[in-house]
Amino acid sequence: RREDLWVREGKILNPEKLFFDEKGSADVQLDCKGSIIAPGFIDVQINGGFGVDFSLATDDFKSGIDLVSQKILSHGVTSFCPTLVTSPPSVYHQVLPQINVRNGGAHGAGILAGAHLEGPFISKEKKGAHPEHCIRTFEAGAFQDLLATYGSLDCVRIVTLAPEIKRSSEVIRELTKRGICVSLGHSVANLSQAEEAVQHGATFITHLFNAMLPFHHRDPGIVGLLTSDKIPAGRRVFYGMISDGIHTNPAALRIAHRAHPSGLVLVTDAIAGMGLAPGRHTLGQQVVEIDGLNTYIAGTKTLSGSVATMDACVRHFLEATGCSVETALEAASLHPAQLLGIEHKKGTLDYDSDADFLMLNDSLYVQATYIAGEEVWRQDVLGM
């Protein structure tokens, strides 16, 4: 739409009320020079970046998270879920108390809903870049096991687990009861196991196609959830995709998008090496080698996260699928907000929602980033 965006006190305003009820007008007017205004991006799977690894327990962990939240503003991310890969319990116990839900602002993107814990209750066969010696199963008191491993769920928003693990059903039910989103991933689950997990409350799939059984026509596995007829009425299954041109072939991206467009959530799965030169970096307990856009566990060809930024993922998704600009932008804003249950305030430009938005040029490069109506980042030369 070609129209003005009205903002007051950090919220998007309905201008009709201002005109007719208050007889008011704008105090400040900004010429956007024909830019696209879009909701701020929300990254629900980011392991770190710019030399910071969220899965490493360090004394200056808070300054690391501050650095990443500041740097991702230039890539259009206004909210994120810091993600920890499979780690020893001591790491969760040290790191999680240091992750605080907070609003975004000039200091950086907001941590709106909490952390994403990817593991350690996953399949050894599909561990990907996760260290095998840290992978765990559920014992008799399954949920108590999980609590003992993580230490606390106070600032946890998403847990990725493998639904075929024994006793996972009761864990999924308990997490869902507490408002925590359960994601299926790093798994050898068949379709009926995945459907059962969704019936117990799971709503997300961690990086579709990666670290799961490949699609097979007789049993499509977790991928089959995209077209399953066993999803409870009124429920939507969302799925993350790393749209970096490396993790998923463009044809696979197109298949997923055409099968279930309203569930697609773009994630970066970015690691500490994002924004840095190629070479050796970390991902939790592992050493990772970056070669161009490829990231491998050192000495192997096992992919380990990405170094893609969210705006690059949006542009690649648009190009690969040929979808509309609106659709590409919604996959990084509206859909993650719906997944987290915060679409009433984030992920749209609807009246009364938070004024977290971006100015983009026609090629979807970020020109400026706003949080709560305040400019928090701007490209030095507009139009570059």
Side-chain angles (χ1 to χ4, degrees):
R1 302 182 186 178
R2 277 194 100 62
E3 60 179 60
D4 300 335
L5 186 75
W6 291 72
V7 176
R8 180 167 66 185
E9 292 171 357
K11 302 281 185 189
I12 293 173
L13 196 61
N14 179 348
E16 282 195 13
K17 285 184 179 169
L18 180 72
F19 297 148
F20 297 115
D21 298 352
E22 302 177 33
K23 310 283 190 285
S25 59
D27 301 306
V28 179
Q29 291 188 29
L30 184 65
D31 181 358
C32 301
K33 298 184 166 56
S35 299
I36 295 169
I37 298 182
F41 299 150
I42 300 169
D43 193 351
V44 299
Q45 189 176 4
I46 171 171
N47 310 290
F50 315 100
V52 176
D53 185 341
F54 297 149
S55 303
L56 284 184
T58 57
D59 293 338
D60 60 347
F61 182 83
K62 282 191 170 165
S63 61
I65 218 160
D66 289 347
L67 176 75
V68 174
S69 65
Q70 176 69 51
K71 293 272 197 181
I72 56 181
L73 294 174
S74 65
H75 300 292
V77 178
T78 53
S79 309
F80 70 111
C81 293
T83 304
L84 277 72
V85 295
T86 295
S87 304
S90 59
V91 169
Y92 298 115
H93 295 185
Q94 283 177 266
V95 168
L96 288 178
Q98 300 187 69
I99 295 176
N100 298 313
V101 172
R102 66 185 190 199
N103 291 325
H107 58 274
I111 302 174
L112 279 184
H116 176 171
L117 305 183
E118 189 187 356
F121 303 100
I122 58 172
S123 157
K124 287 188 176 178
E125 294 101 301
K126 289 293 177 187
K127 64 182 188 292
H130 292 231
E132 188 168 329
H133 69 277
C134 295
I135 291 173
R136 300 169 72 95
T137 53
F138 295 120
E139 302 308 321
F143 189 68
Q144 291 310 312
D145 274 0
L146 178 137
L147 276 177
T149 301
Y150 295 148
S152 164
L153 293 172
D154 289 350
C155 262
V156 175
R157 191 61 187 85
I158 304 173
V159 171
T160 293
L161 53 77
E164 71 276 14
I165 294 176
K166 277 185 184 152
R167 306 185 185 86
S168 65
S169 295
E170 59 188 272
V171 171
I172 293 170
R173 282 197 300 269
E174 286 295 329
L175 287 170
T176 305
K177 237 190 264 180
R178 287 163 170 75
I180 293 171
C181 162
V182 175
S183 189
L184 311 180
H186 288 275
S187 162
V188 291
N190 59 31
L191 179 56
S192 67
Q193 288 169 322
E195 287 171 334
E196 188 185 340
V198 169
Q199 283 151 15
H200 289 302
T203 53
F204 194 39
I205 303 169
T206 297
H207 46 49
L208 187 77
F209 297 124
N210 289 283
M212 60 187 61
L213 291 178
F215 177 88
H216 189 281
H217 55 285
R218 278 193 289 278
D219 191 336
I222 289 176
V223 177
L225 287 175
L226 271 61
T227 54
S228 168
D229 57 0
K230 305 265 191 324
I231 307 297
R235 181 94 61 76
R236 186 189 316 181
V237 172
F238 293 90
Y239 58 97
M241 297 222 68
I242 309 167
S243 168
D244 61 352
I246 305 286
H247 277 77
T248 314
N249 185 283
L253 196 52
R254 287 191 285 276
I255 286 171
H257 176 246
R258 290 175 191 175
H260 183 29
S262 67
L264 195 149
V265 173
L266 293 179
V267 298
T268 60
D269 199 16
I271 63 168
M274 175 179 70
L276 301 181
R280 290 199 160 203
H281 302 281
T282 63
L283 177 59
Q285 313 296 304
Q286 311 268 45
V287 177
V288 172
E289 192 98 48
I290 297 178
D291 176 13
L293 283 177
N294 292 292
T295 62
Y296 303 113
I297 291 178
T300 75
K301 287 295 176 192
T302 300
L303 282 175
S304 54
S306 86
V307 287
T309 57
M310 184 58 90
D311 55 326
C313 290
V314 171
R315 291 190 294 270
H316 177 72
F317 174 56
L318 178 72
E319 184 187 350
T321 60
C323 67
S324 68
V325 168
E326 294 89 337
T327 298
L329 294 169
E330 283 182 349
S333 55
L334 174 64
H335 297 174
Q338 290 170 329
L339 166 72
L340 297 172
I342 54 173
E343 70 272 25
H344 59 288
K345 57 180 181 176
K346 304 284 181 189
T348 74
L349 299 177
D350 294 346
Y351 300 146
D352 298 324
S353 60
D354 293 349
D356 296 0
F357 59 88
L358 314 173
M359 288 187 201
L360 305 152
N361 67 14
D362 289 346
S363 304
L364 300 190
Y365 283 86
V366 181
Q367 309 293 293
T369 303
Y370 285 75
I371 293 180
E374 299 292 329
E375 182 182 291
V376 293
W377 182 84
R378 177 172 287 276
Q379 178 71 267
D380 289 341
V381 183
L382 204 60
M384 283 290 280

PDB file of all heavy atoms in Angstrom, residues 12 38-40 333-334 337 343-351 353-357:
ATOM      1  N   ILE A  12       1.867   1.747  16.746  1.00  0.00           N
ATOM      2  CA  ILE A  12       1.354   2.190  15.451  1.00  0.00           C
ATOM      3  C   ILE A  12      -0.068   2.703  15.660  1.00  0.00           C
ATOM      4  O   ILE A  12      -0.890   2.061  16.315  1.00  0.00           O
ATOM      5  CB  ILE A  12       1.420   1.046  14.422  1.00  0.00           C
ATOM      6  CG1 ILE A  12       2.896   0.729  14.146  1.00  0.00           C
ATOM      7  CG2 ILE A  12       0.691   1.413  13.140  1.00  0.00           C
ATOM      8  CD1 ILE A  12       3.145  -0.474  13.283  1.00  0.00           C
ATOM      9  N   ALA A  38       8.289  -2.301   6.512  1.00  0.00           N
ATOM     10  CA  ALA A  38       7.894  -3.676   6.838  1.00  0.00           C
ATOM     11  C   ALA A  38       8.079  -3.909   8.329  1.00  0.00           C
ATOM     12  O   ALA A  38       8.886  -3.237   8.969  1.00  0.00           O
ATOM     13  CB  ALA A  38       8.761  -4.665   6.057  1.00  0.00           C
ATOM     14  N   PRO A  39       7.354  -4.867   8.912  1.00  0.00           N
ATOM     15  CA  PRO A  39       7.583  -5.181  10.332  1.00  0.00           C
ATOM     16  C   PRO A  39       9.022  -5.652  10.554  1.00  0.00           C
ATOM     17  O   PRO A  39       9.626  -6.260   9.656  1.00  0.00           O
ATOM     18  CB  PRO A  39       6.590  -6.325  10.606  1.00  0.00           C
ATOM     19  CG  PRO A  39       5.615  -6.300   9.482  1.00  0.00           C
ATOM     20  CD  PRO A  39       6.335  -5.743   8.300  1.00  0.00           C
ATOM     21  N   GLY A  40       9.547  -5.401  11.748  1.00  0.00           N
ATOM     22  CA  GLY A  40      10.892  -5.874  12.086  1.00  0.00           C
ATOM     23  C   GLY A  40      10.965  -7.390  12.040  1.00  0.00           C
ATOM     24  O   GLY A  40       9.986  -8.093  12.300  1.00  0.00           O
ATOM     25  N   SER A 333       8.654 -12.199   9.849  1.00  0.00           N
ATOM     26  CA  SER A 333       8.048 -11.272  10.824  1.00  0.00           C
ATOM     27  C   SER A 333       6.729 -11.821  11.363  1.00  0.00           C
ATOM     28  O   SER A 333       6.650 -12.245  12.520  1.00  0.00           O
ATOM     29  CB  SER A 333       7.846  -9.885  10.193  1.00  0.00           C
ATOM     30  OG  SER A 333       7.086  -9.973   8.991  1.00  0.00           O
ATOM     31  N   LEU A 334       5.705 -11.869  10.541  1.00  0.00           N
ATOM     32  CA  LEU A 334       4.385 -12.327  11.003  1.00  0.00           C
ATOM     33  C   LEU A 334       4.415 -13.768  11.497  1.00  0.00           C
ATOM     34  O   LEU A 334       3.921 -14.075  12.589  1.00  0.00           O
ATOM     35  CB  LEU A 334       3.357 -12.182   9.868  1.00  0.00           C
ATOM     36  CG  LEU A 334       1.974 -12.749  10.180  1.00  0.00           C
ATOM     37  CD1 LEU A 334       1.310 -11.998  11.330  1.00  0.00           C
ATOM     38  CD2 LEU A 334       1.077 -12.735   8.940  1.00  0.00           C
ATOM     39  N   ALA A 337       6.147 -14.369  14.787  1.00  0.00           N
ATOM     40  CA  ALA A 337       5.333 -13.764  15.850  1.00  0.00           C
ATOM     41  C   ALA A 337       4.146 -14.662  16.183  1.00  0.00           C
ATOM     42  O   ALA A 337       3.802 -14.856  17.359  1.00  0.00           O
ATOM     43  CB  ALA A 337       4.850 -12.376  15.418  1.00  0.00           C
ATOM     44  N   GLU A 343       1.611 -12.175  18.020  1.00  0.00           N
ATOM     45  CA  GLU A 343       1.240 -11.435  16.798  1.00  0.00           C
ATOM     46  C   GLU A 343       0.334 -10.240  17.082  1.00  0.00           C
ATOM     47  O   GLU A 343       0.141  -9.394  16.222  1.00  0.00           O
ATOM     48  CB  GLU A 343       0.609 -12.374  15.766  1.00  0.00           C
ATOM     49  CG  GLU A 343      -0.775 -12.904  16.111  1.00  0.00           C
ATOM     50  CD  GLU A 343      -0.744 -14.181  16.941  1.00  0.00           C
ATOM     51  OE1 GLU A 343       0.244 -14.438  17.647  1.00  0.00           O
ATOM     52  OE2 GLU A 343      -1.746 -14.927  16.890  1.00  0.00           O
ATOM     53  N   HIS A 344      -0.232 -10.159  18.306  1.00  0.00           N
ATOM     54  CA  HIS A 344      -1.048  -8.990  18.646  1.00  0.00           C
ATOM     55  C   HIS A 344      -0.177  -7.749  18.855  1.00  0.00           C
ATOM     56  O   HIS A 344      -0.678  -6.628  18.817  1.00  0.00           O
ATOM     57  CB  HIS A 344      -1.882  -9.259  19.898  1.00  0.00           C
ATOM     58  CG  HIS A 344      -1.054  -9.602  21.096  1.00  0.00           C
ATOM     59  ND1 HIS A 344      -0.392 -10.817  21.216  1.00  0.00           N
ATOM     60  CD2 HIS A 344      -0.757  -8.904  22.213  1.00  0.00           C
ATOM     61  CE1 HIS A 344       0.273 -10.832  22.364  1.00  0.00           C
ATOM     62  NE2 HIS A 344       0.075  -9.690  22.983  1.00  0.00           N
ATOM     63  N   LYS A 345       1.146  -7.959  19.069  1.00  0.00           N
ATOM     64  CA  LYS A 345       1.994  -6.777  19.272  1.00  0.00           C
ATOM     65  C   LYS A 345       3.223  -6.727  18.372  1.00  0.00           C
ATOM     66  O   LYS A 345       3.809  -5.666  18.202  1.00  0.00           O
ATOM     67  CB  LYS A 345       2.425  -6.675  20.739  1.00  0.00           C
ATOM     68  CG  LYS A 345       3.160  -7.879  21.285  1.00  0.00           C
ATOM     69  CD  LYS A 345       3.540  -7.660  22.751  1.00  0.00           C
ATOM     70  CE  LYS A 345       4.298  -8.878  23.282  1.00  0.00           C
ATOM     71  NZ  LYS A 345       4.780  -8.705  24.642  1.00  0.00           N
ATOM     72  N   LYS A 346       3.633  -7.853  17.797  1.00  0.00           N
ATOM     73  CA  LYS A 346       4.820  -7.895  16.939  1.00  0.00           C
ATOM     74  C   LYS A 346       4.494  -8.553  15.610  1.00  0.00           C
ATOM     75  O   LYS A 346       3.548  -9.323  15.503  1.00  0.00           O
ATOM     76  CB  LYS A 346       5.953  -8.697  17.599  1.00  0.00           C
ATOM     77  CG  LYS A 346       6.364  -8.217  18.993  1.00  0.00           C
ATOM     78  CD  LYS A 346       7.199  -6.950  18.947  1.00  0.00           C
ATOM     79  CE  LYS A 346       7.621  -6.510  20.337  1.00  0.00           C
ATOM     80  NZ  LYS A 346       8.252  -5.183  20.351  1.00  0.00           N
ATOM     81  N   GLY A 347       5.319  -8.252  14.605  1.00  0.00           N
ATOM     82  CA  GLY A 347       5.228  -8.975  13.339  1.00  0.00           C
ATOM     83  C   GLY A 347       4.245  -8.419  12.333  1.00  0.00           C
ATOM     84  O   GLY A 347       4.083  -8.977  11.252  1.00  0.00           O
ATOM     85  N   THR A 348       3.563  -7.316  12.675  1.00  0.00           N
ATOM     86  CA  THR A 348       2.635  -6.681  11.726  1.00  0.00           C
ATOM     87  C   THR A 348       2.777  -5.161  11.838  1.00  0.00           C
ATOM     88  O   THR A 348       3.469  -4.654  12.719  1.00  0.00           O
ATOM     89  CB  THR A 348       1.164  -7.031  12.024  1.00  0.00           C
ATOM     90  OG1 THR A 348       0.741  -6.301  13.180  1.00  0.00           O
ATOM     91  CG2 THR A 348       0.950  -8.516  12.249  1.00  0.00           C
ATOM     92  N   LEU A 349       2.079  -4.469  10.944  1.00  0.00           N
ATOM     93  CA  LEU A 349       1.980  -3.010  11.037  1.00  0.00           C
ATOM     94  C   LEU A 349       0.546  -2.613  11.393  1.00  0.00           C
ATOM     95  O   LEU A 349       0.076  -1.529  11.060  1.00  0.00           O
ATOM     96  CB  LEU A 349       2.393  -2.353   9.705  1.00  0.00           C
ATOM     97  CG  LEU A 349       3.830  -2.630   9.241  1.00  0.00           C
ATOM     98  CD1 LEU A 349       4.095  -1.991   7.878  1.00  0.00           C
ATOM     99  CD2 LEU A 349       4.845  -2.137  10.257  1.00  0.00           C
ATOM    100  N   ASP A 350      -0.155  -3.517  12.081  1.00  0.00           N
ATOM    101  CA  ASP A 350      -1.541  -3.239  12.464  1.00  0.00           C
ATOM    102  C   ASP A 350      -1.599  -2.128  13.513  1.00  0.00           C
ATOM    103  O   ASP A 350      -0.661  -1.953  14.295  1.00  0.00           O
ATOM    104  CB  ASP A 350      -2.200  -4.497  13.056  1.00  0.00           C
ATOM    105  CG  ASP A 350      -2.343  -5.602  12.027  1.00  0.00           C
ATOM    106  OD1 ASP A 350      -2.190  -5.307  10.825  1.00  0.00           O
ATOM    107  OD2 ASP A 350      -2.605  -6.756  12.427  1.00  0.00           O
ATOM    108  N   TYR A 351      -2.722  -1.417  13.538  1.00  0.00           N
ATOM    109  CA  TYR A 351      -2.914  -0.388  14.561  1.00  0.00           C
ATOM    110  C   TYR A 351      -2.770  -0.998  15.954  1.00  0.00           C
ATOM    111  O   TYR A 351      -3.206  -2.127  16.198  1.00  0.00           O
ATOM    112  CB  TYR A 351      -4.306   0.258  14.440  1.00  0.00           C
ATOM    113  CG  TYR A 351      -4.553   0.922  13.102  1.00  0.00           C
ATOM    114  CD1 TYR A 351      -5.820   0.936  12.526  1.00  0.00           C
ATOM    115  CD2 TYR A 351      -3.512   1.541  12.399  1.00  0.00           C
ATOM    116  CE1 TYR A 351      -6.058   1.541  11.297  1.00  0.00           C
ATOM    117  CE2 TYR A 351      -3.745   2.140  11.176  1.00  0.00           C
ATOM    118  CZ  TYR A 351      -5.014   2.133  10.620  1.00  0.00           C
ATOM    119  OH  TYR A 351      -5.232   2.732   9.404  1.00  0.00           O
ATOM    120  N   SER A 353      -0.197  -2.143  17.364  1.00  0.00           N
ATOM    121  CA  SER A 353       0.943  -3.047  17.570  1.00  0.00           C
ATOM    122  C   SER A 353       2.212  -2.216  17.788  1.00  0.00           C
ATOM    123  O   SER A 353       2.230  -1.005  17.532  1.00  0.00           O
ATOM    124  CB  SER A 353       1.104  -4.013  16.390  1.00  0.00           C
ATOM    125  OG  SER A 353       1.326  -3.307  15.205  1.00  0.00           O
ATOM    126  N   ASP A 354       3.263  -2.864  18.307  1.00  0.00           N
ATOM    127  CA  ASP A 354       4.511  -2.154  18.587  1.00  0.00           C
ATOM    128  C   ASP A 354       5.116  -1.626  17.287  1.00  0.00           C
ATOM    129  O   ASP A 354       5.138  -2.343  16.280  1.00  0.00           O
ATOM    130  CB  ASP A 354       5.511  -3.086  19.270  1.00  0.00           C
ATOM    131  CG  ASP A 354       5.057  -3.491  20.672  1.00  0.00           C
ATOM    132  OD1 ASP A 354       4.092  -2.882  21.161  1.00  0.00           O
ATOM    133  OD2 ASP A 354       5.663  -4.402  21.264  1.00  0.00           O
ATOM    134  N   ALA A 355       5.644  -0.420  17.342  1.00  0.00           N
ATOM    135  CA  ALA A 355       6.202   0.219  16.141  1.00  0.00           C
ATOM    136  C   ALA A 355       7.644  -0.253  15.916  1.00  0.00           C
ATOM    137  O   ALA A 355       8.587   0.535  15.931  1.00  0.00           O
ATOM    138  CB  ALA A 355       6.124   1.730  16.274  1.00  0.00           C
ATOM    139  N   ASP A 356       7.797  -1.565  15.727  1.00  0.00           N
ATOM    140  CA  ASP A 356       9.088  -2.141  15.336  1.00  0.00           C
ATOM    141  C   ASP A 356       9.019  -2.358  13.832  1.00  0.00           C
ATOM    142  O   ASP A 356       8.282  -3.233  13.367  1.00  0.00           O
ATOM    143  CB  ASP A 356       9.314  -3.505  16.010  1.00  0.00           C
ATOM    144  CG  ASP A 356       9.401  -3.418  17.527  1.00  0.00           C
ATOM    145  OD1 ASP A 356       9.295  -2.301  18.065  1.00  0.00           O
ATOM    146  OD2 ASP A 356       9.568  -4.475  18.165  1.00  0.00           O
ATOM    147  N   PHE A 357       9.759  -1.562  13.076  1.00  0.00           N
ATOM    148  CA  PHE A 357       9.640  -1.678  11.621  1.00  0.00           C
ATOM    149  C   PHE A 357      10.954  -1.323  10.941  1.00  0.00           C
ATOM    150  O   PHE A 357      11.878  -0.767  11.545  1.00  0.00           O
ATOM    151  CB  PHE A 357       8.491  -0.817  11.097  1.00  0.00           C
ATOM    152  CG  PHE A 357       8.600   0.652  11.403  1.00  0.00           C
ATOM    153  CD1 PHE A 357       9.286   1.512  10.557  1.00  0.00           C
ATOM    154  CD2 PHE A 357       8.003   1.181  12.539  1.00  0.00           C
ATOM    155  CE1 PHE A 357       9.383   2.871  10.849  1.00  0.00           C
ATOM    156  CE2 PHE A 357       8.093   2.536  12.837  1.00  0.00           C
ATOM    157  CZ  PHE A 357       8.785   3.385  11.985  1.00  0.00           C
TER     158      PHE A 357
END
